[in-house]
């Protein structure tokens, strides 16, 4: 029988009976016609355990909401292909430049990468839980008229939100890569980027590593590639998603996003959103090392951190899982059942070794034991 984790009570867990109760205020006060669980991942490498954990919990949480509230659910996977592929420093000016995955590899190669590394897991989770899903590349999302109109409206109010989106400097980065054929470089911190706003378009003036000054017009129906800094991109994405009044969009994120989302919420408030217009989010458990730091494949790969005790190489590259895909999915869903069985288990972090223990036990879980003596649990 699966041995449950030992989880302390918390303020949030004490206020909930089930983990999905955190979504109930949005569902009960204004019942939507459907619920979309939106989960994004930077596709700048192979999936690791944290990626699989969040994705499997997304499907499992969607199934619980469907069964409990009787609402149609779906999962929307955002493939973030704007992550930096190359970063260089111009020795003449000291400015940093980057070229994203979309510009360096191209859409066809990235689509193949998503099909190879992510779609099999999504297909298996979708079939196992009977939940439909879609995949959208960021390159495609930023091209849509709705996304661009949302950005234009938000940027007209950027003076109100800029210190929330960039507390250090007050200048949220807007990168529009050089449009010259085969180029795609952009100033990483956009120090010399200037944006001139009109009613329905923006004129972007920037400097390229190889081609010097250039201009790009961003409008609802086209223009250059619109690459926003992380917090700014999330603000635009969440405002765009909220435009569908019939659908409740749930932003599913790893636990490391808790701190950043506070800034995004304040930025959303600064540009005029209030109350129920603010996004609905579900923060999943974070995978940490024995020091409490987020399990980072990049730090381990670069030699700045060691693989923690009790962790296994497959946790950094899920392709190294020794069993079958169906077996991997089954273990993930059993673990998801354990984590979702009690709010105390869900709203917390887990060491890589503890998640490895949960993944190694093939038995299905039972209801988590009450941590206090009968007849009733107390806070």
């Amino acid at each position: 029988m699966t041995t449950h984790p030992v989880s302390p009570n918390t303020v949030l867990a004490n206020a909930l009976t089930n983990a999905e109760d955190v979504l109930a205020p949005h569902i009960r006060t204004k019942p939507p016609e459907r619920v979309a669980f939106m989960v994004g991942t930077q596709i700048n490498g192979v999936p690791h355990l944290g990626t699989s954990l969040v994705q499997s919990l997304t499907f499992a949480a969607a199934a619980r909401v469907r069964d409990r509230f009787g609402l149609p659910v779906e999962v929307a996977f955002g493939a973030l292909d704007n992550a930096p592929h190359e970063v260089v420093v111009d020795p003449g000016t000291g400015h940093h430049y980057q070229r994203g995955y979309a510009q360096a590899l191209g859409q066809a190669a990235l689509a193949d990468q998503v099909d190879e590394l992510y779609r099999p897991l999504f297909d298996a989770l979708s079939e196992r839980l009977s939940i439909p899903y879609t995949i959208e590349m960021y390159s495609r999302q930023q091209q849509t008229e709705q996304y661009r109109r949302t950005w234009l409206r938000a940027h007209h109010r950027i003076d109100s939100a800029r210190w929330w989106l960039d507390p250090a400097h007050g200048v949220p980065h807007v990168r529009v890569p050089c449009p010259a054929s085969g180029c795609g470089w952009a100033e990483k911190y956009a120090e010399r980027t200037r944006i001139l706003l009109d009613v329905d378009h923006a004129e972007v003036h920037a400097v390229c590593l190889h081609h010097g000054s250039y201009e790009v017009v961003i409008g609802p129906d086209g223009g250059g590639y619109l690459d926003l800094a992380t917090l700014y991109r999330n603000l635009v994405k969440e405002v765009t998603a909220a435009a569908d009044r019939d659908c409740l969009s749930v932003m599913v994120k790893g636990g490391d996003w808790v701190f950043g989302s506070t800034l995004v919420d304040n930025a959303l408030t600064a540009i005029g959103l209030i109350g129920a217009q603010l996004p609905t989010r579900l923060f999943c458990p974070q995978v940490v090392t024995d020091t409490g730091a987020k399990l980072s494949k990049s730090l381990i790969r670069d030699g700045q951190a060691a693989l923690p005790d009790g962790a296994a190489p497959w946790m950094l590259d899920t392709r190294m899982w020794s069993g079958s895909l169906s077996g991997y999915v089954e273990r993930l869903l059993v673990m998801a059942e354990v984590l979702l069985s009690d709010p105390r288990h869900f709203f917390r972090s887990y060491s890589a070794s503890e998640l490895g223990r949960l993944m190694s036990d093939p038995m299905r879980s039972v209801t988590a034991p009450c941590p206090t003596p009968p007849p009733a649990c107390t806070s």
Side-chain angles (χ1 to χ4, degrees), residues 8 19 34 71 74 102 111 145 203 228-229 242 293 296 328 357 369:
R34 66 188 191 282
L71 292 169
E74 60 193 65
E145 178 180 351
E203 190 176 287
L228 307 176
S296 169
Y328 183 58
R357 180 186 71 80

Side-chain angles (χ1 to χ4, degrees), residues 84 87-88 95-98 173-175 186-191:
V87 178
V88 300
H95 289 281
H96 290 69
Y97 287 86
Q98 73 176 47
H173 303 147
V174 177
R175 290 178 289 262
E187 230 176 15
K188 182 174 179 61
Y189 302 114
E191 298 101 321

Side-chain angles (χ1 to χ4, degrees), residues 34 84 93 124 141 193 195 253 279 283 351 362 369 375:
R34 66 188 191 282
T93 64
Q141 183 184 56
T193 297
I195 301 174
K253 297 180 177 294
F283 296 105
S351 68

Side-chain angles (χ1 to χ4, degrees), residues 97 178-180 192 204-216:
Y97 287 86
C178 176
R192 293 174 290 180
V204 180
H205 297 252
V207 181
C208 174
L209 174 65
H210 299 298
H211 300 99
S213 298
Y214 62 94
E215 299 176 10
V216 178

Side-chain angles (χ1 to χ4, degrees), residues 35-63:
V35 183
F37 287 77
M38 309 181 75
V39 57
T41 298
Q42 285 194 337
I43 53 172
N44 57 350
V46 298
H48 55 88
L49 176 58
T51 306
S52 293
L53 177 65
V54 172
Q55 291 170 351
S56 58
L57 283 170
T58 299
F59 276 89

Side-chain angles (χ1 to χ4, degrees), residues 54-77:
V54 172
Q55 291 170 351
S56 58
L57 283 170
T58 299
F59 276 89
R64 289 172 71 96
V65 167
R66 176 196 60 199
D67 296 343
R68 177 176 172 186
F69 297 102
L71 292 169
V73 297
E74 60 193 65
V75 170
F77 175 55

